[in-house]
């Protein structure tokens, strides 16, 4: 009788340590009222799994604000969240399906509305010495990309004050 061979072993993954430099996650979320809370919860788990406890307070605030804005603007049924850690900074991107307006006045009005919804985000990013913005996106399927670059040192200081 032949020896049994396991086709799908489930070894513990020791090849990829959970350190900040290996943080690279993407999630597709429904464009629903609950999605900012889901995004914050998932981000907290991801950040803590990679040892980024010191950036969690600022990061979940930023992610919640970006997700809420994306969910309000998108005409599609989902939004896309991307988290990356590079060069001592957490890079957050949210993509929504709202295309950029070609008419100058419509574009200015839409941008003004987004900025007004992101005032708290602007304050957090200022306190963390980070950068943020939004603009046209070619991926994943046209629309708008909202982004924030959260430096670890600034986020750490923000978390200590909060």
């Amino acid at each position: 009788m032949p020896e049994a061979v396991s086709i799908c072993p489930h070894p513990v993954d020791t090849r990829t340590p959970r350190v900040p430099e290996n943080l690279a996650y993407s999630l597709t979320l429904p464009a629903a009222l609950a999605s900012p809370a889901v995004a914050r919860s998932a981000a907290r788990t991801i950040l803590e799994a990679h040892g980024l406890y010191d950036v969690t307070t600022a990061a979940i605030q930023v992610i919640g604000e970006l997700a809420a804005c994306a969910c309000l603007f998108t005409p599609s049924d989902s939004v896309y969240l991307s988290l990356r850690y590079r060069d001592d900074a957490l890079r957050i991107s949210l993509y929504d399906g709202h295309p950029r307006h070609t008419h100058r006045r419509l574009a200015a009005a839409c941008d003004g509305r987004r900025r007004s919804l992101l005032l708290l985000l602007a304050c957090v990013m200022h306190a963390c010495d980070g950068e943020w913005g939004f603009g046209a996106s070619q991926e994943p399927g046209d629309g708008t990309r909202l982004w924030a670059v959260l430096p670890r040192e600034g986020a750490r200081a923000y978390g200590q004050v909060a």
Side-chain angles (χ1 to χ4, degrees):
M1 182 165 230
E3 186 176 319
V5 177
S6 177
I7 295 173
C8 297
H10 296 287
V12 175
D13 184 6
T14 57
R15 298 167 292 165
T16 310
R18 289 188 180 173
V19 294
E21 293 74 21
N22 291 337
L23 190 151
Y25 291 82
S26 300
L27 299 110
T28 301
L29 301 163
L33 292 175
S35 287
V38 171
R40 288 190 307 268
S41 179
R44 178 184 303 278
T45 300
I46 290 166
L47 293 169
E48 290 176 357
H50 286 268
L52 290 167
Y53 300 96
D54 51 349
V55 304
T56 302
T57 300
I60 61 172
Q61 183 69 55
V62 168
I63 290 164
E65 296 298 315
L66 290 174
C69 184
C71 287
L72 284 172
F73 271 83
T74 191
S76 64
D77 58 354
S78 63
V79 296
Y80 178 79
L81 168 66
S82 172
L83 302 173
R84 303 281 184 266
Y85 189 84
R86 303 288 182 269
D87 303 320
D88 285 328
L90 180 64
R91 300 168 188 285
I92 305 160
S93 296
L94 259 134
Y95 298 86
D96 67 45
H98 183 71
R100 303 291 293 160
H101 297 283
T102 55
H103 189 277
R104 185 178 52 84
R105 287 186 184 157
L106 285 175
C110 190
D111 288 354
R113 185 167 172 234
R114 273 194 200 265
R115 277 191 201 88
S116 69
L117 288 171
L118 294 170
L119 285 176
L120 180 57
L121 168 78
C123 292
V124 173
M125 294 307 294
H126 178 74
C128 294
D129 291 326
E131 299 176 21
W132 70 279
F134 57 87
S137 171
Q138 307 310 311
E139 298 174 17
D142 295 329
T144 301
R145 174 180 172 252
L146 299 95
W147 58 270
V149 178
L150 192 58
R152 189 168 190 178
E153 284 302 314
R156 179 181 294 135
Y158 179 88
Q160 290 172 348
V161 171

